[in-house]
Amino acid sequence: MAALHELRYSECQALLRAGILGRLAVVAPDGPHVVPVNYSVTNDAVIIATTPDGLLARHGPGTRVAFEADHVDHGYEHGWSVMVRGTLAVLDDATEIARIRATWAPRPWASGSRSLLLKLPLTELSGRRLGSGWDPMSELPVPRA
Amino acid sequence: MAALHELRYSECQALLRAGILGRLAVVAPDGPHVVPVNYSVTNDAVIIATTPDGLLARHGPGTRVAFEADHVDHGYEHGWSVMVRGTLAVLDDATEIARIRATWAPRPWASGSRSLLLKLPLTELSGRRLGSGWDPMSELPVPRA
């Protein structure tokens, strides 16, 4: 067993930027839901593309949510996780939408019209790792060429 | 891009039972949190061992929560996810605790006294997969020998 260590803000940012799949928790009237989503990261926010009539669109905007990304190594029984918490917003500024579509648009694996962009600021960012003696940046969810 | 398909209850159960790490979403006064946890599965519930004074112990029991497990293949850009939702309970029956410790005790990777057992019934179980033409049971988070 290994001890949990808090990650620095810069480490959380770097790990978050290295990934493309996380999980968004929104609170509906019947309690929380956790939905896997593809995401991207701009200068200051996590961006998620979703369907305008889906669960996330109905219960997310204007409410407190949590977004989580992680990676574990089952062989070594260790891993890291990063969480972003805050109020989810709908991206409705045409200039900002155009800028994001041109640069950091999330690329959903799931088909369907995911035309609604949601934005979660990176203000409340925290992360943890299990154990020491290994480099989280060398254990990323997306294999690098 | 691939379409999302609902998984059958039996498939959700099998995938859940094949894993040992998931994410529990609990709603605190300041909104939802998503916490990676090791887990085990009994006949009818997900079991999580946690610290008696931690976030999950303080805000989980007696409230609606969501537990999620998933696995993705970044190369094929597909994956599956399973979610259990319901009211979290503290396991406080000595006989049941003894039975679970003898058979299906979760084995936390994180050190510390995780003496509190939490139980989430499998009643509300759902899952989804991205795309077709592949077998979720052949893509499990824990490599099998």
Side-chain angles (χ1 to χ4, degrees), chain A residues 1-3 21 23 25 30-34 36 64-66 68 70 74 77 81 83 85 107-111 130 141-142, chain B residues 1-3 23 25 30-34 36 64-66 68 70 72 74 77 81 83 85 107-111 130 141-142:
Chain A
M1 294 204 297
L21 189 115
R23 298 142 199 106
D30 65 347
H33 294 248
V34 178
R64 295 272 304 172
V65 303
E68 191 259 7
D70 61 42
H74 279 83
E77 300 191 350
S81 69
M83 182 162 59
R85 304 180 67 238
R107 195 171 63 79
W109 292 346
S111 56
L130 256 180
V142 189
Chain B
M1 293 204 296
R23 297 141 201 106
D30 64 347
H33 294 248
V34 179
R64 297 273 304 173
V65 303
E68 191 259 5
D70 61 42
V72 302
H74 279 84
E77 300 190 349
S81 68
M83 182 161 59
R85 303 180 68 239
R107 197 171 60 79
W109 293 346
S111 56
L130 255 181
V142 188

Side-chain angles (χ1 to χ4, degrees), chain B residues 54-103:
Chain B
L55 180 87
L56 299 181
R58 287 199 309 277
H59 302 296
T63 72
R64 297 273 304 173
V65 303
F67 175 80
E68 191 259 5
D70 61 42
H71 187 66
V72 302
D73 184 309
H74 279 84
Y76 285 108
E77 300 190 349
H78 69 205
W80 57 262
S81 68
V82 169
M83 182 161 59
V84 189
R85 303 180 68 239
T87 301
L88 195 66
V90 169
L91 253 181
D92 50 13
D93 179 86
T95 309
E96 192 174 2
I97 291 175
R99 186 176 58 81
I100 286 173
R101 291 219 180 274
T103 52

Side-chain angles (χ1 to χ4, degrees), chain B residues 6-30:
Chain B
E6 295 293 320
L7 295 172
R8 292 190 301 274
Y9 188 90
S10 59
E11 291 177 302
C12 294
Q13 274 227 6
L15 291 168
L16 200 60
R17 286 178 195 284
I20 57 173
L21 189 115
R23 297 141 201 106
L24 185 63
V26 299
V27 183
D30 64 347

Side-chain angles (χ1 to χ4, degrees), chain B residues 102-122:
Chain B
T103 52
W104 295 106
R107 197 171 60 79
W109 293 346
S111 56
S113 169
R114 290 168 200 276
S115 57
L116 185 72
L117 293 179
L118 302 175
K119 176 179 180 171
L120 181 62
L122 293 184

